[in-house]
Amino acid sequence: MAANGNGVSTTPKSPLARIQTQKNGGICHDDSGKPVKAQTIDELHSLQKKRSAPTTPLDGVQGAFATISEDERQRQQLQSISASLASLTRGTGPKVVRGDPAGKVQSVSHVAHHHHIEAPTISVSDSSLKFTHVLYNLSPAELYEQAIKYEKGSFITSTGALATLSGAKTGRSPRDKRVVIDDTTQDELWWGKGSPNIEMDEHTFMVNRERAVDYLNSLDKVFVNDQFLNWDPQNRIKVRIVSARAYHSLFMHNMCIRPTPEELENFGTPDFTIYNAGQFPCNRYTHYMTSSTSIDLNLARREMVILGTQYAGEMKKGLFSVMHYLMPMRQILSLHSGCNMGKDGDVALFFGLSGTGKTTLSTDHNRYLIGDDEHCWSDNGVSNIEGGCYAKCIDLSREKEPDIWNAIKFGTVLENVVFDEHTREVDYGDKSVTENTRAAYPIEYIPNAKIPCVGPHPKNVILLACDAFGVLPPVSKLSLAQTMYHFISGYTALVAGTEDGIKEPTATFSACFGAAFIMLHPTKYAAMLAEKMQKHGATGWLVNTGWSGGSYGSGNRIKLPYTRKIIDAIHSGSLLNATYHKTEVFGLDIPTEIEGVPSEILHPENTWADKKAYKETLLKLAGLFKKNFETFTNYKIGKDNKLTEEILAAGPNF
């Protein structure tokens, strides 16, 4: 149909018969749809993403934000973040706006639409002319996009995990960790020989804080995580992590407890804040600085500053140190341990240094995993501090660690691993970057994880030692005093290799099985442990996963199936009914019989062909225990000037 110049329709002549169609009649598969509501490609892309609707009904809801609009809620949230990023020289926080700057038109009017915080400044500078964009509690998918777009060394592996690099530092820097000493911490914290706490003053902390905050404010965007620590709802801690990298944000998303949308809307002011400036170094000419790396804790301000290292583990363990301070103040014991629970509700704690089998033995498909590393023991029972796991990956295999292997999927962070350039399959045996390769994933990635990660009071406290000297029994039942003594000692003995081929056992002692992270004197944690064990009827055990029949080189390592039988007997309670006899020197009670374990290996002396060598090695190890414990014998507890005679008597006697 056409129209002539007068607007009159004409029908062109055609040899074909005219096809009659009816309006709205019988058209199949009409997928033309309506035109898109977009004028540009950017607008079209914006239609891909549906805006998240408020998850909490505003009507009849009690809470700080229950009666305010969505716009006002966002304004208050941004105001809180702005306050966290306040520079002390200006006295106010930056102008902050939510969202990725790459996806927004940079103009004041556009930012105003997003309810930024207008902050007056003392003096005008370039930093006053810009907005700091806040990427707030992004999802793993969003963080993947940020990492792959903007962070060199970020890749998706064949299983869907995000492989990243932590830069020059591939482990913690304990010599660069500082704690502010003030009138309160001077008396409360453990200082001096053996302590992990290295002092700094308030002024130096503020210099480093200003340096980190100014660096973060200078960036186009920062990542902000608001999350929780401690699954016990009565004693959880609100933490805010401000970081420069998507990798760090995803790591903390996995390692801390993830708030529900409702909890996030009512998050309010955090109890503790981390400023992670990552690669930006501290000023080495600043007082107390010994390198370009500095990890600083200020317990009075409830803040932590990280400069000159991108290793994500500094955040995890820094918060653990904070919990080692905050929780005992509430009469809650913080513990560096694994924890699992039987189907009947019996809970066991596992303590052990690297190489003792803590992860292997606490991972039991017949029991629920409460957590693998950090816990609290309160009047309510036990609770995991974290929301995720941070597993070692070196030499990881599907056969040996199937749960960890299967947890390395979308959402997991893989640190410093090596993978095939084409297939992106990870070679877990490759140490080209570092031996300390790690995977961080949410705890719900473990099939038998107990969610929420809480349990009743423990029945068993298991102290693990890999004794390469070969003189400790495979299992011993401990008295309360012995539990305190061995808990304070935190012993294991591993094999240190040297270039000339000489390999001898090396004793390692780490107070409370985590000396690098404790804030108070070890005896305070040990006294709390003994008090809770006594109150709730828990039993202490010392389990040797190391050598039998001789030291390393002459004896053999105790078979894992035997150790598992021992652990099973502890869980079932059958080991409580065994017949015991006491060993010499260490005075340990060892059972005469355990089902499934050869009786001759239960007493280590029986397995040594050279009895004289056994006695000499036993006395050597006892001497190492005594020497290590000298650090603690003169510590003042209450009105006394030394540890109770009961604890000292629980150590080796020769």
Side-chain angles (χ1 to χ4, degrees):
M1 184 77 71
N4 61 18
N6 299 321
V8 179
S9 296
T10 61
T11 302
K13 293 181 179 181
S14 170
L16 297 176
R18 183 179 177 186
I19 299 175
Q20 299 289 334
T21 59
Q22 295 180 359
K23 196 173 184 180
N24 300 327
I27 299 178
C28 298
H29 306 293
D30 183 5
D31 59 357
S32 58
K34 295 180 180 179
V36 294
K37 298 177 182 177
Q39 301 298 317
T40 65
I41 290 293
D42 286 342
E43 287 184 21
L44 182 61
H45 285 176
S46 71
L47 297 176
Q48 286 182 297
K49 292 171 278 189
K50 181 180 177 182
R51 185 177 178 185
S52 299
T55 54
T56 307
L58 297 180
D59 295 335
V61 176
Q62 300 298 316
F65 299 104
T67 59
I68 62 175
S69 66
E70 179 67 19
D71 288 346
E72 177 63 15
R73 178 184 288 112
Q74 188 178 105
R75 190 193 70 79
Q76 291 189 14
Q77 186 185 75
L78 292 179
Q79 193 170 25
S80 173
I81 295 170
S82 176
S84 293
L85 284 164
S87 167
L88 297 185
T89 55
R90 295 189 296 273
T92 55
K95 294 173 284 190
V96 297
V97 56
R98 280 185 66 162
D100 188 353
K104 297 185 182 295
V105 180
Q106 301 298 300
S107 69
V108 173
S109 59
H110 181 79
V111 177
H113 176 70
H114 286 264
H115 308 285
H116 65 271
I117 312 303
E118 293 285 359
T121 56
I122 296 172
S123 59
V124 176
S125 67
D126 282 351
S127 63
S128 305
L129 303 178
K130 68 179 287 294
F131 291 94
T132 298
H133 291 259
V134 173
L135 301 181
Y136 183 73
N137 273 57
L138 296 190
S139 67
E142 292 172 308
L143 290 168
Y144 266 57
E145 291 168 3
Q146 290 289 327
I148 291 166
K149 281 182 186 177
Y150 305 114
E151 295 180 10
K152 195 171 183 180
S154 296
F155 300 92
I156 300 176
T157 68
S158 60
T159 63
L162 181 69
T164 66
L165 294 173
S166 65
K169 299 291 178 75
T170 58
R172 290 184 303 103
S173 303
R175 292 184 181 86
D176 297 312
K177 183 181 173 184
R178 303 282 185 272
V179 183
V180 172
I181 187 168
D182 53 31
D183 292 341
T184 301
T185 58
Q186 184 172 8
D187 297 327
E188 289 180 343
L189 300 193
W190 178 28
W191 305 100
K193 184 180 178 182
S195 167
N197 302 316
I198 306 172
E199 69 178 65
M200 73 186 306
D201 60 28
E202 172 84 8
H203 174 76
T204 305
F205 175 86
M206 299 312 293
V207 169
N208 282 354
R209 182 193 186 279
E210 192 81 343
R211 190 170 175 91
V213 167
D214 283 346
Y215 168 72
L216 291 166
N217 286 337
S218 74
L219 302 174
D220 286 337
K221 61 189 176 188
V222 295
F223 297 88
V224 175
N225 292 46
D226 279 349
Q227 296 182 261
F228 299 121
L229 297 177
N230 196 355
W231 282 85
D232 179 357
Q234 293 182 17
N235 296 294
R236 72 183 183 186
I237 300 296
K238 297 187 293 183
V239 294
R240 172 168 292 163
I241 304 102
V242 186
S243 55
R245 288 192 63 179
Y247 143 51
H248 290 153
S249 188
L250 181 57
F251 177 90
M252 295 308 283
H253 169 89
N254 291 346
M255 295 311 304
C256 294
I257 299 167
R258 293 158 288 284
T260 64
E262 292 84 359
E263 290 170 333
L264 203 56
E265 288 172 11
N266 293 274
F267 193 84
T269 305
D271 299 312
F272 197 89
T273 303
I274 292 179
Y275 301 98
N276 187 350
Q279 64 182 348
F280 195 73
C282 66
N283 186 332
R284 290 182 296 159
Y285 292 99
T286 306
H287 195 36
Y288 292 100
M289 298 300 102
T290 52
S291 74
S292 59
T293 298
S294 190
I295 302 100
D296 308 329
L297 277 176
N298 189 325
L299 296 171
R301 290 184 59 90
R302 304 291 171 91
E303 292 179 341
M304 178 181 179
V305 170
I306 298 175
L307 290 161
T309 174
Q310 297 180 76
Y311 181 64
E314 295 288 7
M315 295 183 287
K316 166 189 160 66
K317 290 305 187 183
L319 288 176
F320 190 31
S321 295
V322 171
M323 295 296 278
H324 268 310
Y325 174 76
L326 295 179
M327 291 296 102
M329 297 301 165
R330 301 184 185 185
Q331 300 307 307
I332 297 170
L333 178 60
S334 49
L335 300 165
H336 189 208
S337 70
C339 182
N340 66 23
M341 185 180 79
K343 293 173 183 176
D344 295 328
D346 58 297
V347 169
L349 295 172
F350 292 82
F351 296 88
L353 303 180
S354 179
T356 59
K358 181 178 72 168
T359 301
T360 301
L361 295 172
S362 62
T363 303
D364 188 332
H365 290 169
N366 296 315
R367 296 172 66 83
Y368 300 109
L369 179 69
I370 293 177
D372 73 329
D373 197 40
E374 302 175 9
H375 292 88
C376 286
W377 188 351
S378 71
D379 290 339
N380 301 325
V382 291
S383 56
N384 191 348
I385 289 175
E386 301 179 298
C389 302
Y390 194 33
K392 291 181 179 178
C393 289
I394 195 67
D395 297 325
L396 179 70
S397 69
R398 189 195 299 268
E399 294 72 31
K400 292 181 181 178
E401 300 287 354
D403 286 345
I404 297 174
W405 180 276
N406 292 327
I408 299 176
K409 56 186 179 181
F410 180 84
T412 298
V413 177
L414 275 176
E415 281 183 324
N416 301 316
V417 297
V418 176
F419 52 85
D420 183 272
E421 183 179 29
H422 175 58
T423 65
R424 301 294 167 90
E425 291 181 1
V426 178
D427 181 355
Y428 291 109
D430 195 319
K431 306 173 186 177
S432 298
V433 179
T434 178
E435 188 169 328
N436 188 36
T437 52
R438 296 271 184 167
Y441 48 85
I443 193 166
E444 54 264 31
Y445 282 16
I446 300 297
N448 62 328
K450 185 182 179 300
I451 308 293
C453 303
V454 296
H457 297 287
K459 285 180 60 178
N460 294 293
V461 175
I462 301 169
L463 311 182
L464 300 169
C466 177
D467 177 29
F469 289 99
V471 295
L472 289 184
V475 61
S476 315
K477 186 174 71 170
L478 303 176
S479 67
L480 274 178
Q482 287 176 322
T483 303
M484 293 174 74
Y485 182 89
H486 287 278
F487 179 70
I488 292 172
S489 297
Y491 163 75
T492 196
L494 302 177
V495 180
T498 57
E499 290 183 5
D500 58 4
I502 299 173
K503 296 183 177 182
E504 293 184 353
T506 302
T508 300
F509 296 92
S510 182
C512 306
F513 293 92
F517 320 119
I518 60 177
M519 304 292 284
L520 312 178
H521 194 274
T523 55
K524 294 188 177 181
Y525 300 103
M528 289 184 70
L529 177 63
E531 179 187 359
K532 291 186 180 297
M533 289 178 64
Q534 189 170 35
K535 182 177 180 180
H536 301 289
T539 305
W541 306 90
L542 180 63
V543 174
N544 173 24
T545 61
W547 271 254
S548 178
S551 299
Y552 176 86
S554 59
N556 297 299
R557 189 155 189 185
I558 299 169
K559 294 180 180 179
L560 180 58
Y562 294 160
T563 303
R564 288 200 182 277
K565 288 288 186 182
I566 290 169
I567 299 296
D568 289 343
I570 291 173
H571 289 325
S572 69
S574 63
L575 207 50
L576 287 173
N577 302 319
T579 303
Y580 288 86
H581 68 271
K582 199 173 290 291
T583 67
E584 58 181 345
V585 182
F586 277 91
L588 298 170
D589 287 327
I590 58 176
T592 57
E593 189 177 2
I594 300 174
E595 185 179 352
V597 181
S599 296
E600 60 269 19
I601 74 166
L602 294 177
H603 196 308
E605 185 176 10
N606 295 339
T607 63
W608 282 63
D610 188 338
K611 307 300 182 186
K612 182 181 177 183
Y614 164 78
K615 187 65 178 289
E616 290 174 349
T617 308
L618 179 66
L619 292 175
K620 178 181 179 181
L621 180 60
L624 294 173
F625 265 84
K626 275 190 172 293
K627 183 178 180 181
N628 171 72
F629 218 81
E630 289 172 0
T631 306
F632 314 114
T633 53
N634 295 323
Y635 184 74
K636 183 176 180 180
I637 303 177
K639 296 180 180 179
D640 299 326
N641 290 328
K642 48 172 124 176
L643 289 168
T644 62
E645 295 299 323
E646 186 180 5
I647 300 176
L648 286 172
N653 186 16
F654 59 101

